[in-house]
Amino acid sequence: MILRLLGVVYAFAFLAAALQLVPLMGAHGLTPLDLMIRHYAAYFGSVGGAFTRAPSLFWFWHTDAALLIVSWAGFALACAVVLGFANSVALLVLWALYMSIVHTGQIWYGYGWETQLLETGFLAVFLCPLLDPRPFGRRPPPTPVIWLFRWLIFRIMLGSGLIKLRGDPAWRDLTALFYHFETQPIPNGLSRWFDFLPHGVLRGGVVFNHLAELAAPFFVFGPRLARRIAGGVIVLFQVVLILSGNLSFLNWLTIVPALACFDDDLWARIVPRCLARRAERAAADASPSMSGIYASWALALAVALLSVAPVLNLLSPRQIMNTSFSYDPLDLVNTYGAFGSVTRERMTVVFQGTDSDSPHGGGAEWRDYPYLAQPVDVNRRPRQVAPYQPRLDWQMWFAAMGPPNRNYAWTLNLIWKLLHNDPGTLSLFGGNPFPDRPPRYIRAVLFRYRFAPPDDPQRRWWIREPVEIWLRPLSVDTPELQADLRSYGWLPPQDPVR
């Protein structure tokens, strides 16, 4: 069950990479990988120096074809794991391929669940036989690895709980869920229902959050009954999060190590009897591998040593979340946490285009570029996209929290590509309001969104109001836009303007 659910997570992660890496990081992407490779190679003295700090195949091979081959190969291998065909070699390849993406993924892969997937995936390498790919392998899973999965879920949950208590007072006065469902990165079709629950129920939800993150983790090491109950509370908590929003594959991934709380006797009562009988027959023929046992204990020792800094971070009043450490370039043991602060208002940056000769005044007709999942059209029901992650949507959620700055300079490159109807960039959106020819001007407007009441007479899902112009109208002839693009290397110095 652990391996198959991990295969599902890997499959969605690689599918998102296959569909988005080229327009995001390809040779003509929003933040071309080649520019990053050259910058880091110069900073570390060589490509090899950069590789030792953040191992990745892409330091040596980063064409668009490489991005696609790695992504689709990972997706195919993950599907095989979902079907039950897993061994250490397959899991090691999956881990190495995804690490290659994460370590060169720039801002698009700067989320905590990326390193969480790498840590979970590396532990899974030691959970199955070295070469035997058959479902229900003939080697029992090493006990130390099961305990390492429990150690992982302990750190994930406790880190998330402590960062909340130390962060936003809304988690302490039990009002966090008054805002969360509306302001989370990507709401889904049930988020509005959750948002309009009575305040007493929402306060109870915060109490349940604290129970799952601050109390249940301490029982994952307990006796069987306590461990099962703790695992059940954690899994139920993740299911509620899955139902109430689109948090990428984070909640699905968090369930994976929580499954280590449930022993085979329990699973035998849950899964179909035919599967239980197959597992029982395999267990009867299973024999431990001494090399596997030694490897699992060596892994346990390594994790123990690498856990010192994460544990000190958990104990620190200045706790940080979702961080890897420089002495651990493989991201084997990391810190985790989520929603240490809760935003009170939902802000969304909406890109708009116009065919008008003049973008100023009231004569210009501006058309919205819809995101894949972020709210734009107030009449559109929020979509369910998780465990798939539309990465442009996520970055724009962060971008809306402040004015344009150097961290989001790539939005200028995005505007340039929209001004040329670039197919790759448009694939990151939910549609193209200018299918026949590119717009003359593009601007970005910051809107405030809030859920419309369920009984709204206009049957809207959202109510929005403009706040400010986030980026002023720009065209292909805007000298400042051309200069900025050239300064970042996104436009050749002598590139003719069309």
Side-chain angles (χ1 to χ4, degrees):
M1 297 302 294
I2 290 175
L3 292 174
R4 292 193 188 213
L5 182 55
L6 179 61
V8 170
V9 175
Y10 264 133
F12 276 97
F14 279 110
L15 179 63
L19 298 180
Q20 299 178 63
L21 276 189
V22 170
L24 291 176
M25 298 164 30
H28 303 288
L30 297 180
T31 59
L33 185 55
D34 182 64
L35 294 178
M36 190 214 80
I37 297 290
R38 281 186 277 162
H39 172 76
Y40 277 86
Y43 180 82
F44 290 110
S46 66
V47 169
F51 177 85
T52 59
R53 298 297 184 96
S56 171
L57 297 173
F58 295 139
W59 292 113
F60 309 102
W61 183 43
H62 49 267
T63 63
D64 288 2
L67 297 176
L68 291 173
I69 289 173
V70 166
S71 300
W72 284 117
F75 175 74
L77 190 55
C79 289
V81 173
V82 174
L83 295 175
F85 300 98
N87 58 23
S88 295
V89 173
L91 269 297
L92 186 64
V93 171
L94 277 172
W95 171 78
L97 293 180
Y98 200 68
M99 182 171 59
S100 293
I101 296 174
V102 171
H103 283 177
T104 51
Q106 305 173 73
I107 58 171
W108 313 107
Y109 281 81
Y111 309 106
W113 49 85
E114 313 296 355
T115 52
Q116 185 177 326
L117 179 52
L118 292 180
E119 182 171 349
T120 307
F122 191 77
L123 293 181
V125 172
F126 297 82
L127 192 63
C128 47
L130 177 62
L131 297 174
D132 185 357
R134 293 174 295 176
F136 307 109
R138 270 57 178 176
R139 195 202 80 183
T143 300
V145 181
I146 298 296
W147 282 89
L148 290 177
F149 273 105
R150 294 171 186 165
W151 172 235
L152 173 58
I153 192 61
F154 173 85
R155 288 185 290 109
I156 291 171
M157 300 305 293
L158 188 61
S160 293
L162 291 176
I163 201 72
K164 291 179 174 66
L165 289 184
R166 291 166 173 159
D168 198 316
W171 290 109
R172 298 191 293 273
D173 64 21
L174 307 184
T175 61
L177 295 187
F178 293 5
Y179 318 101
H180 167 76
F181 299 112
E182 181 178 82
T183 64
Q184 64 181 306
I186 302 180
N188 68 5
L190 291 177
S191 298
R192 184 174 69 170
W193 180 83
F194 279 92
D195 187 65
F196 281 97
L197 287 172
H199 278 188
V201 175
L202 294 176
R203 288 180 184 273
V206 179
V207 173
F208 179 58
N209 178 101
H210 294 330
L211 173 67
E213 293 186 334
L214 295 170
F218 289 97
F219 293 92
V220 302
F221 305 112
R224 176 180 296 185
L225 180 59
R227 191 170 63 242
R228 288 178 175 179
I229 294 174
V233 169
I234 292 171
V235 170
L236 176 60
F237 177 58
Q238 300 305 320
V239 170
V240 172
L241 294 176
I242 289 170
L243 292 175
S244 63
N246 285 298
L247 298 179
S248 184
F249 53 76
L250 171 61
N251 308 118
W252 301 79
L253 176 61
T254 303
I255 291 175
V256 173
L259 297 184
C261 295
F262 308 131
D263 50 79
D264 287 351
D265 289 341
L266 179 62
W267 283 116
R269 301 188 184 102
I270 298 174
V271 302
R273 185 57 190 162
C274 60
L275 290 179
R277 283 197 296 267
R278 289 184 60 189
E280 290 166 359
R281 287 196 298 267
D285 297 335
S287 58
S289 164
M290 294 307 299
S291 59
I293 293 174
Y294 293 145
S296 65
W297 280 108
L299 173 67
L301 177 60
V303 170
L305 295 174
L306 293 172
S307 294
V308 173
V311 169
L312 293 176
N313 179 68
L314 282 175
L315 300 175
S316 171
R318 298 181 179 180
Q319 177 193 0
I320 54 177
M321 62 181 186
N322 301 327
T323 300
S324 301
F325 296 91
S326 58
Y327 61 77
D328 183 10
L330 299 180
D331 301 321
L332 299 183
V333 183
N334 314 286
T335 68
Y336 301 107
F339 294 103
S341 61
V342 179
T343 53
R344 280 15 180 212
E345 293 183 311
R346 178 173 199 89
M347 298 294 183
T348 301
V349 174
V350 178
F351 293 94
Q352 299 177 327
T354 183
D355 281 327
S356 175
D357 292 333
S358 174
H360 306 289
E365 178 191 359
W366 293 97
R367 303 180 211 167
D368 295 341
Y369 281 85
Y371 292 110
L372 285 172
Q374 283 268 17
V376 175
D377 182 357
V378 296
N379 297 308
R380 191 178 82 168
R381 177 189 175 95
R383 300 175 60 188
Q384 178 65 45
V385 293
Y388 183 86
Q389 182 182 0
R391 293 183 180 270
L392 174 64
D393 294 45
W394 272 81
Q395 279 302 315
M396 293 312 302
W397 181 75
F398 287 105
M401 295 181 185
N405 56 41
R406 186 178 182 86
N407 293 330
Y408 299 98
W410 54 266
T411 55
L412 298 175
N413 198 19
L414 183 149
I415 285 178
W416 179 262
K417 292 180 181 300
L418 292 180
L419 287 167
H420 293 85
N421 263 2
D422 177 68
T425 301
L426 288 168
S427 72
L428 301 173
F429 287 86
N432 179 13
F434 298 92
D436 299 324
R437 63 177 183 178
R440 295 180 61 87
Y441 290 91
I442 295 284
R443 71 179 184 181
V445 181
L446 184 68
F447 286 93
R448 180 182 293 108
Y449 278 75
R450 58 186 176 89
F451 275 129
D455 59 352
D456 180 63
Q458 301 179 43
R459 293 191 162 184
R460 295 171 297 177
W461 279 89
W462 297 95
I463 297 172
R464 80 175 188 178
E465 57 184 276
V467 177
E468 62 181 359
I469 300 297
W470 199 75
L471 281 173
R472 66 183 179 86
L474 300 168
S475 73
V476 294
D477 300 317
T478 303
E480 295 87 354
L481 176 60
Q482 299 174 27
D484 285 335
L485 293 175
R486 290 191 172 96
S487 69
Y488 284 99
W490 295 326
L491 194 65
Q494 303 303 320
D495 187 61
V497 178
R498 292 173 292 174

